[in-house]
Amino acid sequence: MTYSSHFSIGPGHDWQHLPEPRPAEPGLWPKLEAALAVVNRDLMATLPDQEALILMVDPPREPLPPSGIDMGQVYVAMPDGRWHGNPVNACDLEEGDPPEPDDATTVLTAVADAAQSTIMELLWRVWPICSEHKIGMHPRSARTTDDCYQGETDAVGPPVWCCRGRQDGDCHDVSLVGELATTLPGEQRRALRRSERKRDGRR
C-alpha cells in the first residue's frame, strides 16, 4: 500500500506533511491486540509459512476533536504494514463511541473479518478453507439456527468459522475462531506441534 504523506493547506501555503501509518503501540489497543492474537493462531495453523498479522494505525488527518482522544483508525495488516478493508475500531469518537468495541465477541468477529480481508486481497488466496468442503469460510457469531448469513443480530455465542459447503445450502460451524488447529488432519496437527516446539526452542 502506498501512503500519501502530505497535503496542501491552501493557495500560497506550503505543503504540510502528514503522519505516516505506523504499527500500533503495544498496550494501546488491548482488546484488539488480544483478538488478533487469537486470529493469528488460526493463521499459523493453516498457513504456517505466513508471518503473524499486526495492527496498523492510520493517524488522524484532521485536528483532534475537543475530547483529544482520536487515536486514528486501526487496521489488521500484513507484517510489512499493508492492509485491505475497514478499520476495526470506532471512527466517530466525537459521538461518544469508545475507541475499542466494548463486547469481546464483537471485537473478535471484527478482527477475524478484517484479517480475512487482508489475507485474501493481498495474498490473492482464499482463507480460511473448510477442510471438509474445500471452500472458504466466514466468521460469524455462533447461533442457535443454521443460518450463517453475515449481519444477523441473534448472536448467542463466541465467533466461529462458518462454511456453506453442504449440498442443502445450510451452513455448519467448523470451529471457534482461534481453534482451527483442532480441525486439521492428524499429520497436519502433528507438523504444527513440531513447528510450534521448534519456534519455542523446545525439542
Side-chain angles (χ1 to χ4, degrees):
M1 171 172 272
T2 302
Y3 306 112
S4 175
S5 60
H6 56 267
F7 73 104
S8 173
I9 59 175
H13 293 83
D14 293 334
W15 290 83
Q16 296 288 316
H17 286 280
L18 292 173
E20 294 283 336
R22 64 186 183 279
E25 181 181 337
L28 194 58
W29 303 96
K31 294 177 184 177
L32 296 175
E33 291 170 14
L36 185 57
V38 171
V39 174
N40 271 328
R41 287 204 309 261
D42 285 343
L43 184 65
M44 298 298 101
T46 54
L47 299 179
D49 295 329
Q50 175 61 42
E51 294 183 56
L53 300 172
I54 65 172
L55 296 176
M56 287 289 289
V57 177
D58 194 14
R61 301 303 190 190
E62 304 287 340
L64 285 178
S67 65
I69 60 170
D70 188 350
M71 294 181 283
Q73 295 179 336
V74 183
Y75 296 87
V76 176
M78 302 293 287
D80 62 7
R82 295 176 301 140
W83 71 77
H84 183 274
N86 296 322
V88 291
N89 64 319
C91 302
D92 196 5
L93 298 182
E94 290 181 286
E95 297 299 322
D97 291 334
E100 296 180 291
D102 288 325
D103 178 65
T105 295
T106 300
V107 174
L108 186 51
T109 303
V111 169
D113 186 64
Q116 181 181 54
S117 179
T118 288
I119 288 291
M120 291 180 66
E121 292 296 330
L122 298 184
L123 293 185
W124 285 31
R125 66 183 303 167
V126 177
W127 181 84
I129 295 175
C130 173
S131 58
E132 179 183 354
H133 296 109
K134 312 303 181 189
I135 65 171
M137 301 183 286
H138 298 281
R140 70 170 179 89
S141 295
R143 308 179 197 289
T144 55
T145 68
D146 287 334
D147 195 346
C148 65
Y149 285 109
Q150 294 179 338
E152 295 286 324
T153 58
D154 57 337
V156 296
V160 297
W161 291 111
C162 167
C163 169
R164 292 192 64 88
R166 289 180 173 165
Q167 289 185 350
D168 59 9
D170 286 341
C171 74
H172 67 107
D173 296 343
V174 175
S175 81
L176 294 172
V177 172
E179 301 296 331
L180 275 179
T182 64
T183 70
L184 298 176
E187 180 53 39
Q188 281 185 261
R189 286 201 307 272
R190 290 189 287 274
L192 178 62
R193 286 196 293 269
R194 288 194 296 270
S195 67
E196 287 173 345
R197 287 196 295 269
K198 186 175 181 181
R199 276 200 306 268
D200 294 341
R202 302 193 305 265
R203 295 191 180 274

